[in-house]
Amino acid sequence: MTMTKYVYSFGGNRNEGSASMRNTLGGKGCNLAEMAGLNIPVPPGFTVITDVCTLYYQEGKKLSSEVVAQVKEALIWLEGVRGKKLGDAANPLLVSVRSGARVSMPGMMDTVLNLGLNDQTVEGLAKASNNPRFAWDSYRRFIMMYSDVVLDVHKDNFEHRIEALKAKTGKQSDTEITADEWKVLCGEFKAIVREKLGHDFPQDPMEQLFGGIAAVFNSWETERAIIYRRMNRIPDDWGTAVNVQSMVFGNMGDDCGTGVAFTRDPGTGEPYFYGEYLINAQGEDVVAGIRTPQPITNFQANGTGLQSLEDAMPETFKELLETATRLEQHFKDMQDIEFTIEQRKLYMLQTRNGKRTAMAGIRVALDMVKEGMIDEATALQRINADDLVQLLAPIFDPKEKKAFEKAGKLMTKGLNAGPGAATGRIALSAEEAQEMAQSGPVVLVRLETSPEDLAGMVAAEGILTARGGMTSHAAVVARGMGKPCVCGASTLEIDLAKATVTVGEVCLKAGEDFISIDGSTGEVFAGQLSAHPAEVNQVLVNKIMKAEESETYQRFATIMSWANKVRSMKVRTNADSPHDADVARAFGAEGIGLCRTEHMFFEGDRILAFREMILSKDAAGRKTALAKILPMQRSDFEGIFEAMNGLPVNIRLIDPPLHEFVPHDEKGQEEMAKVLGVSLEEVKHRVEKLHEFNPMMGHRGCRLGITYPEIIRMQMRAICEAAINVAKKGIVALPEVMVPLIGHVKELTYTKGEMLDELALINKENGTDFSCPIGTMIEIPRAALTADQIALEADYFSFGTNDLTQMGFGFSRDDSGSFLPEYVSKKILEDDPFQSLDQQGIGELVRIAAEKGRATKPELKLGVCGEHGGDPRSVKFFHKVGLSYVSCSPYRVPVAILAAAQATLEDK
Ligand code: ADP
Ligand code: MG
Ligand code: MG
């Protein structure tokens, strides 16, 4: 009989894990083992594997006796390695209990340090270390943490006792508090616990240990953790591991400390070792914002007046730098590390691939190619395709910023923790932010953030905190979300009672006043700054910056050029105007995949002519009105063909229900009455007649052309004449015309007949022999299922996956907002299928149509228009199905280009 192994030890003389066991050991656990395997000093410990989390829930939140036995066995091993015993009154072993899922997850349980202390062992520790202050500081930390995260007695209860003591004694910092004072506080803390819970703070170290392990598993199901999983698509059944690790102490005196560091700057990606530390401190002190952390390197310290670790402990610093460099080389990625120094000896407590901003991610990937650490393909796969959108996001206008500064509106400067520009009304709590975000942009302003603020951070445009460093919760989470963030703006006074944010003279009212933050520089402005195009846009679109002036642009261009070498799928754009076409082309679009014609009808007074057409009584009236529209539509197409010179332009014939165009207000109807020369009553009557119960499935798409062929004939004429006209100027127009909403092949046969008749007329009038491909959209399930027949009539297919989703699920696109979020939260669907393609169902329709279409017409070209064309996961699916191109909005073109390249690479 083989026994399942639930517990793996790391460090010491029994290192059972490695980085390849991430799924079993969690990210923290597997990397601790990996580091130990590299002979990097890691305090030994053991990991209870992720599967136990699932078992724990299956067994009604209990640990099986088998797991308990294996934990006890590992503990005995650990006691042997450290030469100390848990609970030994003379020389106690202390451990930390740490959560650790496969991917790092804020929202999981906070770490409990110094577990194993009680009224007896604290005395033993004091004696053994000959440092009572250290022992009592550790005990009070343990009572606070254990109460907070295991017993649910919030740490505020304890913190204000510390504050009161400081106020009474005039002490500034925790480090000034003496052993005796901590001892008194420990007594008070235990009394608080007794009062809140009706029983004593647990003194039995075994009870403490299993309580801590259970608390980690319980935290897997907290609301914070669930929200985070949903946001980041982390499956619920992954579970978390628990790491039990022997303690090393950063709080034993001034030759001790703790810190966090990045091997490169996580904000910009610059190749500088970067981090923060605190002398005589433990664990989370650095990120908690209680004391201002100090810089690690002299380079960072320069000009701050703070002492660096490099300066304070040169030997230890050197070892840290060497270790960090080694880890980066080993993992071949930027590392985010946590360390503790005990009497100048360095211990590594964590390493992981560091979270970074979009800018930093790109820079690091490209630099590492240059440094020979990774190849181009790896770099391409490392960059999150969605991140490219951030490179195109607006920044503040530098001139306006100067003016604000002159006017005294530069309130303060904090840390540039998450780049990008955000402006909005001030919200002082997560709830406020969520509520206010309904009616306009919000900036969340907090003393510091905690995982409870997550939902508010999602709702806000940007985050501003008064406390905390570059590695504080706010900074790390904001960077992960791609939100602008300014941290540690310490001059900021936040008054929750008065709902104000004040710096000196400037006082802003929450809920009313605007604040603007520049997460790239750390500046905070009173009022509303306007945004400015990003550098990439300044080079490519606005053409107000030279390529060689912008490093960001050059990096962007490098990625695009590498992606272009790799990908097989083409990327087009959805554009209805020459401007959009220009922008998309600048971003790399290789044609237009969807040019909607109906948008063209809304501009200027053409809507009048179009309404006249719709409201006409008969074909003759319609033709008169259409004659007015023809030249306008023709010149629109000329503009687009000029912008896309030499690239294909896929034009969709009119699609929406006509009632969307007619006036429903009295003023508009009166205007129409005048134009048509009929009574207001008559116009009202005709508008009413257009009313449909179910317009999305009503008189729209190809049905319009079948009932009113003169409309599509006019459109065909506008397109072909425009192409013929621009050709005279030497422009290569490559229109493709597609018929929407085909369900039956004969709908296409009929419509195509009308189009070809019109084309023949045009050619005769002009003495030309112009022709263009005529295709169809596949957006009705019946069309997908009969694609073999439809392909015989169509030169190409374009999958309209928005409508295909609507028709395939029977979800009204316009009404799904009232139920789809519930579907997602109740896990009936993993995602909103309008945002990310439902690959199993709707994707299957795409696959079938592609297969059937190519069966009868092997050369059939296949593309996708619709929002899914810009969603990286959907793009990868389309690649697998073998589509020729995707099409998406101009700003997502770079995303689709990279996603297409990644799809090819994943295929290999
Ligand atoms: P998080 O996942 O929130 O980063 P960790 O489990 O990494 O939580 O713990 C936070 C910090 O606590 C660590 O960075 C380290 O400073 C401290 N810590 C954890 N375990 C130990 C230990 N065994 N000895 C000393 N410090 C520890
Ligand atoms: Mg933490
Ligand atoms: Mg950590």
Side-chain angles (χ1 to χ4, degrees):
M1 199 182 81
T2 54
M3 217 174 48
T4 315
K5 188 166 170 57
Y6 294 120
V7 178
Y8 287 72
S9 39
F10 58 81
N13 54 7
R14 195 167 91 181
N15 197 46
E16 299 177 317
S18 70
S20 61
M21 295 172 69
R22 170 175 293 268
N23 295 355
T24 308
L25 301 178
K28 202 178 282 168
C30 78
N31 278 357
L32 283 169
E34 184 78 9
M35 284 195 288
L38 293 169
N39 286 323
I40 288 169
V42 170
F46 55 85
T47 305
V48 184
I49 67 173
T50 53
D51 283 350
V52 175
C53 186
T54 312
L55 284 175
Y56 174 80
Y57 281 101
Q58 277 169 8
E59 290 176 23
K61 297 204 187 183
K62 278 201 188 67
L63 292 175
S64 72
S65 55
E66 188 49 51
V67 173
V68 171
Q70 291 191 26
V71 167
K72 286 183 174 162
E73 191 279 331
L75 180 63
I76 290 168
W77 163 79
L78 185 60
E79 289 173 336
V81 171
R82 298 304 309 252
K84 296 176 190 180
K85 279 200 154 62
L86 192 73
D88 181 345
N91 188 19
L93 172 73
L94 302 190
V95 296
S96 61
V97 175
R98 319 171 64 185
S99 58
R102 285 193 211 179
V103 292
S104 136
M105 253 181 72
M108 289 298 302
M109 192 196 83
D110 291 320
T111 299
V112 177
L113 301 176
N114 312 317
L115 189 144
L117 283 173
N118 59 24
D119 295 349
Q120 277 80 51
T121 54
V122 66
E123 303 282 3
L125 184 67
K127 273 210 201 86
S129 64
N130 198 17
N131 188 343
R133 188 202 171 273
F134 149 68
W136 287 99
D137 176 47
S138 300
Y139 193 25
R140 68 89 191 177
R141 286 172 185 272
F142 174 55
I143 301 173
M144 284 175 78
M145 283 183 167
Y146 195 87
S147 302
D148 187 54
V149 304
V150 182
L151 306 177
D152 229 12
V153 179
H154 202 275
K155 61 174 178 288
D156 284 352
N157 290 300
F158 311 107
E159 262 163 9
H160 76 243
R161 293 295 172 103
I162 302 177
E163 291 311 311
L165 176 87
K166 281 192 205 159
K168 207 174 80 188
T169 55
K171 292 183 175 172
Q172 302 286 325
S173 162
D174 288 1
T175 51
E176 295 166 42
I177 297 174
T178 64
D180 287 337
E181 285 167 335
W182 281 132
K183 189 171 178 174
V184 172
L185 280 174
C186 282
E188 288 181 20
F189 287 3
K190 283 187 293 173
I192 292 169
V193 172
R194 197 176 311 124
E195 189 192 317
K196 295 260 170 204
L197 299 179
H199 62 75
D200 282 332
F201 183 83
Q203 291 284 315
D204 174 10
M206 272 304 189
E207 182 189 341
Q208 294 172 355
L209 178 61
F210 283 102
I213 293 174
V216 172
F217 290 143
N218 290 339
S219 72
W220 183 251
E221 291 293 344
T222 55
E223 202 181 315
R224 280 151 40 180
I226 293 170
I227 294 179
Y228 187 83
R229 283 205 290 279
R230 203 158 287 148
M231 248 174 49
N232 292 278
R233 318 184 42 75
I234 298 169
D236 290 326
D237 62 5
W238 277 8
T240 176
V242 185
N243 301 287
V244 176
Q245 186 174 26
S246 53
M247 286 297 300
V248 287
F249 300 101
N251 59 333
M252 278 177 112
D254 287 346
D255 55 355
C256 304
T258 181
V260 293
F262 287 88
T263 52
R264 300 180 191 227
D265 187 319
T268 62
E270 285 171 282
Y272 300 122
F273 189 45
Y274 187 96
E276 289 158 345
Y277 82 108
L278 279 174
I279 293 273
N280 196 10
Q282 210 182 33
E284 306 273 84
D285 290 5
V286 184
V287 286
I290 299 164
R291 281 159 64 194
T292 302
Q294 284 167 257
I296 288 204
T297 65
N298 286 339
F299 180 74
Q300 264 178 279
N302 194 8
T304 62
L306 297 169
Q307 195 188 26
S308 69
L309 179 68
E310 187 171 3
D311 203 30
M313 302 184 197
E315 291 297 306
T316 316
F317 170 79
K318 206 171 139 244
E319 198 187 333
L320 177 66
L321 178 59
E322 276 166 14
T323 309
T325 311
R326 223 179 121 200
L327 286 171
E328 187 181 272
Q329 291 285 345
H330 181 72
F331 288 102
K332 301 196 186 307
D333 200 354
M334 184 240 271
Q335 295 298 296
D336 167 358
I337 60 185
E338 299 176 6
F339 62 92
T340 286
I341 300 165
E342 182 182 305
Q343 297 176 322
R344 293 186 190 268
K345 165 124 186 60
L346 176 73
Y347 292 93
M348 300 303 291
L349 287 159
Q350 189 169 344
T351 192
R352 62 184 156 196
N353 296 340
K355 288 215 164 68
R356 58 206 84 177
T357 61
M359 298 274 190
I362 287 165
R363 168 148 191 188
V364 168
L366 297 187
D367 282 355
M368 286 186 170
V369 174
K370 263 193 232 147
E371 293 162 23
M373 212 185 285
I374 57 175
D375 60 12
E376 287 179 13
T378 309
L380 284 178
Q381 275 163 302
R382 268 213 195 144
I383 297 165
N384 182 359
D386 273 324
D387 277 358
L388 293 179
V389 172
Q390 283 186 50
L391 288 194
L392 314 179
I395 51 181
F396 289 136
D397 176 354
K399 283 198 204 105
E400 199 184 0
K401 260 187 11 183
K402 272 267 156 359
F404 263 56
E405 199 178 332
K406 276 219 182 99
K409 291 193 210 165
L410 174 57
M411 292 175 80
T412 183
K413 215 171 153 182
L415 298 168
N416 51 339
T423 185
R425 288 204 161 81
I426 298 169
L428 295 182
S429 72
E431 297 80 61
E432 237 171 71
Q434 281 174 279
E435 205 177 291
M436 284 165 56
Q438 313 261 334
S439 53
V442 176
V443 171
L444 177 64
V445 184
R446 303 277 290 154
L447 215 49
E448 61 203 324
T449 65
S450 75
E452 280 131 279
D453 293 323
L454 212 59
M457 295 174 79
V458 174
E461 299 296 311
I463 296 124
L464 170 62
T465 70
R467 289 196 201 154
M470 291 295 273
T471 46
S472 65
H473 177 265
V476 172
V477 176
R479 280 200 295 272
M481 294 198 260
K483 301 247 171 183
C485 176
V486 173
C487 275
S490 53
T491 58
L492 215 60
E493 280 170 48
I494 302 172
D495 189 327
L496 291 175
K498 289 197 201 127
T500 55
V501 173
T502 314
V503 178
E505 307 276 84
V506 190
C507 175
L508 302 179
K509 190 104 188 71
E512 290 169 23
D513 292 332
F514 275 87
I515 200 162
S516 300
I517 59 168
D518 187 331
S520 310
T521 59
E523 293 158 304
V524 179
F525 296 90
Q528 194 175 12
L529 275 165
S530 50
H532 200 68
E535 281 185 17
V536 174
N537 302 44
Q538 293 194 31
V539 173
L540 287 177
V541 181
N542 315 76
K543 309 210 164 68
I544 49 178
M545 192 177 210
K546 291 202 191 93
E548 59 275 18
E549 284 168 11
S550 169
E551 285 184 21
T552 317
Y553 166 74
Q554 287 170 28
R555 292 194 189 106
F556 172 83
T558 306
I559 314 243
M560 289 295 106
S561 76
W562 290 353
N564 288 340
K565 279 192 286 186
V566 170
R567 72 194 160 97
S568 57
M569 214 164 31
K570 297 242 180 228
V571 175
R572 295 197 191 181
T573 191
N574 301 348
D576 317 331
S577 71
H579 172 76
D580 285 359
D582 270 336
V583 171
R585 192 169 186 170
F587 289 150
E590 298 161 296
I592 291 181
L594 175 62
C595 176
R596 301 176 178 91
T597 49
E598 52 272 10
H599 289 189
M600 297 175 170
F601 295 132
F602 280 105
E603 253 168 65
D605 13 302
R606 43 181 88 175
I607 185 65
L608 284 183
F610 197 68
R611 285 172 172 171
E612 182 186 339
M613 189 280 296
I614 297 170
L615 295 171
S616 295
K617 258 219 321 268
D618 48 26
R622 280 195 294 276
K623 278 190 186 150
T624 316
L626 284 167
K628 293 183 197 167
I629 300 167
L630 173 68
M632 305 186 221
Q633 190 143 73
R634 190 170 52 215
S635 79
D636 284 339
F637 288 128
E638 286 173 7
I640 289 174
F641 293 152
E642 279 172 35
M644 296 310 279
N645 187 2
L647 296 177
V649 177
N650 183 14
I651 298 160
R652 179 179 72 185
L653 296 178
I654 184 167
D655 181 52
L658 294 181
H659 85 120
E660 281 188 14
F661 297 97
V662 294
H664 297 280
D665 59 312
E666 182 126 343
K667 197 169 150 260
Q669 292 180 347
E670 264 168 14
E671 196 178 13
M672 279 325 296
K674 252 189 239 145
V675 172
L676 290 165
V678 297
S679 70
L680 176 62
E681 290 314 302
E682 178 62 20
V683 171
K684 277 195 174 145
H685 174 68
R686 291 185 196 174
V687 167
E688 264 161 39
K689 258 179 59 185
L690 286 169
H691 171 81
E692 290 179 305
F693 286 106
N694 221 335
M696 269 303 178
M697 299 213 273
H699 194 186
R700 59 171 286 220
C702 66
R703 299 154 206 172
L704 294 168
I706 290 169
T707 47
Y708 302 143
E710 53 279 7
I711 301 181
I712 53 167
R713 278 181 174 255
M714 180 281 287
Q715 291 201 297
M716 188 67 184
R717 180 171 283 271
I719 294 163
C720 299
E721 289 181 352
I724 293 168
N725 286 351
V726 296
K728 289 176 198 150
K729 292 192 253 173
I731 284 169
V732 182
L734 299 172
E736 306 164 341
V737 188
M738 66 178 172
V739 185
L741 227 65
I742 292 290
H744 194 291
V745 63
K746 284 194 182 156
E747 289 174 313
L748 182 59
T749 317
Y750 174 85
T751 308
K752 201 174 148 188
E754 292 284 336
M755 293 161 75
L756 291 177
D757 276 357
E758 192 69 18
L759 177 62
L761 281 178
I762 296 163
N763 273 331
K764 202 157 141 209
E765 287 161 22
N766 289 279
T768 49
D769 62 347
F770 180 78
S771 76
C772 66
I774 293 178
T776 181
M777 295 196 61
I778 301 290
E779 51 189 339
I780 288 188
R782 193 185 186 285
L785 299 174
T786 57
D788 45 350
Q789 295 164 35
I790 293 176
L792 294 173
E793 289 286 353
D795 294 321
Y796 64 93
F797 287 170
S798 173
F799 290 96
T801 50
N802 296 345
D803 260 314
L804 195 59
T805 301
Q806 168 166 273
M807 307 285 185
F809 265 110
F811 289 161
S812 160
R813 264 198 273 174
D814 300 328
D815 304 309
S816 62
S818 60
F819 55 87
L820 270 187
E822 287 278 307
Y823 270 56
V824 176
S825 72
K826 292 189 170 148
K827 291 193 223 154
I828 292 168
L829 291 177
E830 242 184 77
D831 295 285
D832 178 340
F834 290 106
Q835 278 165 25
S836 196
L837 187 79
D838 159 52
Q839 301 185 5
Q840 277 184 350
I842 308 303
E844 182 64 7
L845 286 170
V846 174
R847 200 193 56 74
I848 290 172
E851 196 180 286
K852 285 198 150 190
R854 280 188 169 145
T856 52
K857 185 176 274 182
E859 75 279 13
L860 189 72
K861 206 164 56 175
L862 303 169
V864 171
C865 55
E867 296 311 301
H868 299 107
D871 170 60
R873 276 181 299 140
S874 310
V875 170
K876 289 175 189 172
F877 174 82
F878 296 136
H879 172 88
K880 273 206 205 98
V881 178
L883 303 196
S884 339
Y885 70 85
V886 294
S887 186
C888 57
S889 63
Y891 277 75
R892 295 204 71 87
V893 164
V895 175
I897 287 178
L898 179 53
Q902 290 171 340
T904 311
L905 292 170
E906 278 170 27
D907 227 16
K908 280 179 185 161

